[in-house]
Every structure is written in structure tokens, then in C-alpha cells.
Amino acid sequence: SSELTQDPAVSVALGQTVRITCQGDSLRSYYASWYQQKPGQAPVLVIYGKNNRPSGIPDRFSGSSSGNTASLTITGAQAEDEADYYCNSRDSSGNLWVFGGGTKLTVL
Amino acid sequence: EVQLVESGGGLVQPGGSLRLSCAASGFTFSSYEMNWVRQAPGKGLEWVSYISSSGSTIYYADSVKGRFTISRDNAKNSLYLQMNSLRAEDTAVYYCATVNSGSYYDYYYYYMDVWGKGTTVTVSS
């Protein structure tokens, strides 16, 4: 299967914890990577591998995986975390990349 | 500074062609696999095409297979996307991105850690 499914929208109160999930068969073989995209900007990698953060990404961002579900958790969400978040992985054949449909995060 | 800069976007009529370029600097381009990713107005990210570091392995999304051709010139630190038979649904911002990979026990992972700012392609009559 070459689909990754994300909830279209999630909201979180300022300072609270939010989990964004991504489901797909390929996630049984591949760890997802997660990208943050703010309006008018290019995507930015926030999580990759088992739970790795690129340099410059705050440690409130973390990743986890279980079965066919990958999760991005923001612990203590900040106003600047309001953005679209996309998961991505290779598909089960290994010949394609696939993105989830994206989750719009609103910080209240 | 590690940087990718896309160029070549513009307005083109349906059925027309366009060649996008992605200029890399600040890193050893020839060592990196590369992806093209696009985003239609108001829509999500869509992977378009992949090329290995040597150019010997290439993949395409079904939506562009047979119409788009990815290539690279490692001597010029450049990545290309030749787009033919363009359709209205190809209208998007096109990004190039570096591809990295790793493994952890039985799991593999791939990620795109450096992205350009994108170039806009509009297909319209």
C-alpha cells in the first residue's frame, strides 16, 4: 500500500501536549520522517528515524512508532508550533515515497 | 552554508514543456540522493521523483511517469526536472530536497533534510 493517513486538523492549548499520528502499511517496515511547514515557507524536517531531531529543532518535538502508526508529539506546544505537519516514508515496494495528507495544528 | 536553489519555473500552456533546475552549494552534492517534491495551491506535499547519487537509479510518481525526467550533473552540482506534456494539475510549487537514510535494527528510514525554497510552475492557457 502507498498511503499514509493523517487527521486533517488538531488543536492544542498553549503549553499542553499534542500527538499527531500517521497510519500506513509501509510504517511496519520504515520509520516515518516528519516535516513542519508554515504558510509560504518550504517544509522543515523535525523528526527522522526512530526519534532523531535535526540540529536546531527544539526537544519538545519527539517521535515514536508502533505497528503501522507513527506519531509526532509536541510536549509543551508553543505558538510558533502552529503549522502544517506531514509524515513521509518510502512505500512498501521501496520504489516510491509517500506523504501523508498533512495535519493542520492550531495552538489555542 | 548548505543551500539548494530552484529555478526555471513559470507560466506554460497545457501540453508545453519546462525544465527546472536545482543548484546545490555548501555540501558534496555528488554524495547525495535527491528528490523533487511538489505542492499544488492549497494542497499537501506530493513526492514527484527520486535520483540516486550517481544517477543510476531513478523513480517517479505514477502521476508524472512518462512525462517527467529527472537528471543530475554532479560536475555542475545541479539537479534537473524536465517536464513535458504539462497539465493543469501539474501547477504547483516544486521543491528539491536532499535524501538521507539509515537503519535501526530491522527498520530503515529515509528523510529529506535540506530543502530549497521552491519554484512555481503554473500550467494554464
Side-chain angles (χ1 to χ4, degrees):
Chain A
S1 173
S2 58
E3 287 188 359
L4 294 177
T5 302
Q6 297 181 240
D7 290 330
V10 170
S11 62
V12 61
L14 184 67
Q16 296 304 300
T17 296
V18 62
R19 176 176 292 182
I20 298 170
T21 61
C22 173
Q23 288 189 303
D25 288 343
S26 63
L27 300 180
R28 298 185 185 278
S29 303
Y30 298 102
Y31 283 118
S33 53
W34 289 91
Y35 303 86
Q36 176 193 71
Q37 188 181 36
K38 296 181 180 179
Q41 298 184 17
V44 173
L45 175 70
V46 294
I47 290 289
Y48 66 96
K50 189 177 190 305
N51 180 19
N52 300 302
R53 282 176 290 106
S55 172
I57 301 301
D59 61 5
R60 62 179 178 270
F61 288 88
S62 63
S64 62
S65 184
S66 178
N68 73 336
T69 301
S71 299
L72 172 70
T73 300
I74 307 174
T75 303
Q78 301 300 302
E80 60 264 33
D81 299 334
E82 188 163 287
D84 294 326
Y85 290 86
Y86 296 91
C87 60
N88 175 262
S89 83
R90 298 284 284 269
D91 82 329
S92 300
S93 74
N95 293 340
L96 307 173
W97 268 258
V98 59
F99 283 95
T103 297
K104 183 177 183 60
L105 176 66
T106 300
V107 179
L108 303 172
Chain B
E1 178 191 7
V2 174
Q3 196 172 13
L4 295 172
V5 179
E6 302 92 340
S7 61
L11 175 63
V12 61
Q13 292 188 339
S17 298
L18 215 52
R19 189 195 196 205
L20 305 184
S21 298
C22 170
S25 60
F27 63 101
T28 306
F29 177 72
S30 59
S31 298
Y32 282 81
E33 303 162 44
M34 299 292 295
N35 270 339
W36 283 101
V37 174
R38 69 184 180 183
Q39 186 170 36
K43 303 296 185 182
L45 300 174
E46 180 188 14
W47 170 77
V48 173
S49 184
Y50 159 90
I51 188 167
S52 62
S53 56
S54 66
S56 60
T57 301
I58 286 172
Y59 302 126
Y60 297 100
D62 289 344
S63 57
V64 306
K65 197 175 298 182
R67 300 187 299 122
F68 289 12
T69 302
I70 191 172
S71 63
R72 65 190 299 159
D73 185 336
N74 287 339
K76 294 184 177 180
N77 292 331
S78 293
L79 174 73
Y80 306 102
L81 187 68
Q82 177 67 44
M83 304 185 296
N84 298 330
S85 302
L86 283 162
R87 307 166 179 167
E89 54 265 36
D90 296 317
T91 295
V93 176
Y94 284 74
Y95 300 99
C96 58
T98 58
V99 176
N100 267 301
S101 62
S103 63
Y104 182 84
Y105 289 97
D106 293 334
Y107 275 77
Y108 292 90
Y109 57 88
Y110 297 83
Y111 57 99
M112 293 172 269
D113 55 344
V114 180
W115 294 67
K117 294 187 186 303
T119 186
T120 300
V121 172
T122 303
V123 183
S124 175
S125 55

